[in-house]
Amino acid sequence: MSGERPLKVVLCWHMHQPQYLDPESGSYQLPWTYLHAIKDYVDMAAHLEAVPRARAVVNFAPVLLEQLADYAGQIEAHLRQGAPIHDPLLAALDSPVPPAGSEERLALIRDCTRANRENLVERFPAFRRLVDMAEWLEEDPEALLYIDDQFVADLLTWYHLAWMGETVRREDPRIRGLQEKAAGFTVEDRRHLLSIIGELIESVPERYGRLAKKGQVELSVTPYAHPIVPLLLDFQSAREALPDSPLPAKDGYPGGTERARWHLREGIETFRRHFGLAPEGCWPSEGAVCTGTLRLLGELGFAWAATGEGVLGHSLGEDYGKYGADPSNNLCYPYRIQQSQTACFFRDDELSDLIGFQYSDWHADDAVEDLIGRLERIAEATADHPEPLVPIILDGENAWEHYPENGYYFLSGLYNRLAEHPGIDLTTFGEALAQGVAANRLDRLVAGSWVYGTLSTWIGDKDKNRGWEMLVEAKEAYDRCVREGRLEGEALREATHQLATCEGSDWFWWFGDYNPEEVVRDFERLFRLHLSRLYRRLGETPPEYLAHAFAHGSGTPAHGGVMRPGRAAD
């Protein structure tokens, strides 16, 4: 690397899970929030704690923070007072008696096989044997007659052990002891494991808060329930990048600007409650931005936001040169639009997607060296530019199950090599701006997201559009109740938060037949339940169409569809 000025690099990890609470039963329908907490959120904190010179931006969705707090509280109340746990898997883990009914027992067994086969099942021979038996039972359910309670207890225990963070597995003797026992887990063993799970979930905000106070981590936030802000503002924004995109049979989302402002303000307050400080930066849900989004962020005082490289490419058109000779059209600088002081950074899709999709199949040392080499070449290409910065932004949770040992060797090597490299300054977006990284002017911002630089992941498909039509009708019912004065005080607050849940991005992410059947079924059902719950909170009967499925999946996308590359395949 030439030149004396180091290349600034920002690693930005986004942590997000949607609201999985079934509004009818009051029970969590999917376990991904607490499973990612004990596997990924704790590991990502531990890797930073192990390399004090490493830096990162970590973004938390507010609905995730609320679910983590709820899980921690439920587990503590259960262990101390015997209060119920409203999550079927966690409740079963500590139950002395597994379910007796064949259908209920088979459903529980099936849930305990939902894990990466290569890295979370095959790695542990005892767990692999149990999963093999579980798959056989699914093919021949009548064999359940010959399965005793110990099989279910061991399967539940191993499922949670397999999902345990690698740093926990290596450092906590209690987990090692359970793994070494391998079989015949007792009620006491399972309660012990539940208490460890509770400790880990409770530690997540505390650990990241400490890292933030030390200056190692910059914490940022998304709008409260993770809505796609440009679509709340204007459905037509989808056509800025895709002029022929089909749109819902509605003119737009009623009162969308105020709803977007509400999500941002509520997100800030939720963040403040959990971390004791106000966020300076915002990763808009899915990096989805438009001119109106950045102006709202500026209005609320955010110093920075970030989105995908495709948005910059669409906005600059033929002038875009990525790391070319002209610093004014370069990926390695933030940009500002008129009437907003919020600086917007743009994700390097190639480097981010390598971590998300490619390096998991490499030897960790080779992957780290490859990434370092690419950064060194970027430094050479931008040697004459003032203060260039490379933003690497991706999901901080879903990639790691595709890596051996939950990405332990890759992440450890990556942080160490970046922190010690004399030509790289591992920093954060806020610190880079404070140190004088200047923002270029962007005269035209084409609405889009980190996925392909468009909004097509959330609108344009017939099922996605139908989802928006249902949501618009529910919002019209909400507005009518508010206008007529039928909602006040706590009832109004609860209905408003229920509406926010319905406005989340994840429902629309999963609608579409290119997604897996099982996952589409889970999310489509929850969406209809949440809309039905909203109508009931409004004192109205839910429309008949909410009793019928409208989206079905049949695809097999990479990584099960939980992640997507930033750039569409050529």
Side-chain angles (χ1 to χ4, degrees), residues 144-262:
L144 281 168
L145 294 170
Y146 303 99
I147 296 298
D148 64 10
D149 290 353
Q150 190 63 58
F151 169 80
V152 178
D154 285 1
L155 182 61
L156 274 163
T157 303
W158 262 112
Y159 185 72
H160 289 90
L161 289 174
W163 271 89
M164 198 60 61
E166 187 64 23
T167 58
V168 181
R169 195 184 313 284
R170 290 166 180 255
E171 297 167 10
D172 193 323
R174 298 172 298 176
I175 295 300
R176 290 201 302 271
L178 288 170
Q179 289 185 179
E180 290 166 2
K181 184 171 183 177
F185 296 109
T186 65
V187 173
E188 183 179 358
D189 291 332
R190 290 184 279 130
R191 171 157 285 230
H192 196 39
L193 180 55
L194 179 65
S195 70
I196 297 170
I197 290 170
E199 289 174 18
L200 293 173
I201 296 171
E202 186 177 19
S203 76
V204 170
E206 297 173 358
R207 293 173 76 172
Y208 285 98
R210 285 196 299 269
L211 287 164
K213 289 178 181 178
K214 289 169 58 180
Q216 236 186 305
V217 160
E218 179 180 9
L219 294 170
S220 63
V221 73
T222 58
Y224 174 73
H226 213 265
I228 301 300
V229 172
L231 296 179
L232 291 185
L233 300 180
D234 187 357
F235 287 167
Q236 293 291 331
S237 63
R239 288 182 167 168
E240 293 182 22
L242 294 173
D244 297 326
S245 177
L247 296 180
K250 298 287 183 180
D251 291 336
Y253 194 69
T257 299
E258 282 309 307
R259 289 304 298 153
R261 188 178 283 112
W262 183 93

Side-chain angles (χ1 to χ4, degrees), residues 466-535:
R466 180 59 187 142
W468 278 107
E469 291 160 8
M470 294 177 179
L471 179 58
V472 167
E473 290 173 10
K475 177 59 162 55
E476 290 170 343
Y478 170 89
D479 289 345
R480 184 170 58 251
C481 286
V482 172
R483 186 170 57 251
E484 295 173 357
R486 288 191 276 145
L487 288 173
E488 294 179 352
E490 184 63 18
L492 176 58
R493 191 197 72 81
E494 290 180 355
T496 302
H497 276 76
Q498 184 61 38
L499 172 64
T501 298
C502 298
E503 292 167 335
S505 68
D506 295 87
W507 320 119
F508 303 95
W509 172 288
W510 289 109
F511 300 155
D513 58 11
Y514 55 84
N515 279 311
E517 178 182 4
E518 182 178 26
V519 185
V520 174
R521 183 177 65 244
D522 288 340
F523 280 84
E524 189 269 351
R525 175 181 173 275
L526 265 177
F527 180 65
R528 289 186 290 115
L529 281 171
H530 280 298
L531 284 176
S532 298
R533 181 65 167 173
L534 175 59
Y535 278 103

Side-chain angles (χ1 to χ4, degrees), residues 279-332:
E280 293 186 7
C282 177
W283 169 248
S285 315
E286 305 293 359
V289 296
C290 62
T291 297
T293 304
L294 291 185
R295 287 178 179 163
L296 275 176
L297 293 174
E299 171 191 318
L300 293 172
F302 283 102
W304 63 263
T307 183
E309 179 184 339
V311 175
L312 184 62
H314 291 155
S315 300
L316 292 175
E318 294 180 358
D319 292 334
Y320 178 54
K322 194 161 184 174
Y323 299 119
D326 187 350
S328 67
N329 298 327
N330 210 285
L331 179 68
C332 59

Side-chain angles (χ1 to χ4, degrees), residues 242 286 449 451-452 454-465 468 505-521 551-565:
L242 294 173
E286 305 293 359
S449 73
V451 187
Y452 316 148
T454 74
L455 300 174
S456 61
T457 300
W458 302 274
I459 200 168
D461 170 275
K462 66 178 180 62
D463 291 343
K464 299 177 193 295
N465 288 350
W468 278 107
S505 68
D506 295 87
W507 320 119
F508 303 95
W509 172 288
W510 289 109
F511 300 155
D513 58 11
Y514 55 84
N515 279 311
E517 178 182 4
E518 182 178 26
V519 185
V520 174
R521 183 177 65 244
H552 306 274
S554 59
T556 55
H559 288 9
V562 297
M563 298 174 63
R564 294 204 173 101

